Amino acid sequence: MPIFFMNSMFKVFNQNTHDNLQIQQINLSSEIRENLYNSISPGMSYDQVRSIIGWDGILIYENNIDSADGQIHEKFYQWNNQDVYLTDYESQRGDVINPYWSVTLRFQNDILLNKASFNLQP
């Protein structure tokens, strides 16, 4: 049975070629918190980071860069709790708790170079 991942919260799979696609929500009991984020450091491979976090990130950008030292394969991955962005006015207010969190990691040739986070809980 082929499995196609839509994002880190849902997966789409086809039971057979004549059936309709079904969407099943994945219950992620894990959450990336500050201490987990802080255990991720530049120089790690994607596989090392994935084993710390516990699930695959979403590939949000990929590029090949020609350099004097050869080709650089660059990838940006994101992990978050919703795989959507909050853009409404209510989510911007200071007195409303924003449940959205995200972690974005930049890899070159499978080595972590930079990391950024938003709204991680302690």
Side-chain angles (χ1 to χ4, degrees), residues 101-118:
W101 58 264
S102 71
V103 170
T104 304
L105 304 178
R106 176 183 170 213
F107 293 85
Q108 286 187 349
N109 297 335
D110 196 43
I111 301 298
L112 178 63
L113 290 184
N114 305 95
K115 63 181 191 171
S117 68
F118 172 75

Side-chain angles (χ1 to χ4, degrees), residues 61-78:
Y61 177 79
E62 185 173 19
N63 190 28
N64 289 315
I65 304 165
D66 292 324
S67 74
D69 297 329
Q71 192 166 55
I72 299 170
H73 191 73
E74 184 171 60
K75 293 182 179 182
F76 284 72
Y77 288 92
Q78 186 175 71

Side-chain angles (χ1 to χ4, degrees), residues 32-98:
I32 300 176
R33 294 185 173 263
E34 283 182 358
N35 62 344
L36 185 68
Y37 175 79
N38 290 336
S39 70
I40 298 167
S41 55
M44 290 182 165
S45 70
Y46 176 84
D47 288 338
Q48 289 173 314
V49 170
R50 194 225 177 271
S51 69
I52 290 170
I53 294 174
W55 71 91
D56 285 310
I58 297 169
L59 180 63
I60 59 173
Y61 177 79
E62 185 173 19
N63 190 28
N64 289 315
I65 304 165
D66 292 324
S67 74
D69 297 329
Q71 192 166 55
I72 299 170
H73 191 73
E74 184 171 60
K75 293 182 179 182
F76 284 72
Y77 288 92
Q78 186 175 71
W79 287 259
N80 61 54
N81 66 324
Q82 296 176 352
D83 294 334
V84 296
Y85 296 100
L86 295 176
T87 57
D88 61 37
Y89 170 75
E90 287 297 312
S91 67
Q92 309 284 325
R93 292 181 37 208
D95 60 337
V96 175
I97 296 174
N98 183 356

Side-chain angles (χ1 to χ4, degrees), residues 23-38:
I23 298 175
Q24 178 182 31
Q25 186 167 358
I26 299 170
N27 183 9
L28 296 177
S29 58
S30 300
E31 177 179 335
I32 300 176
R33 294 185 173 263
E34 283 182 358
N35 62 344
L36 185 68
Y37 175 79
N38 290 336

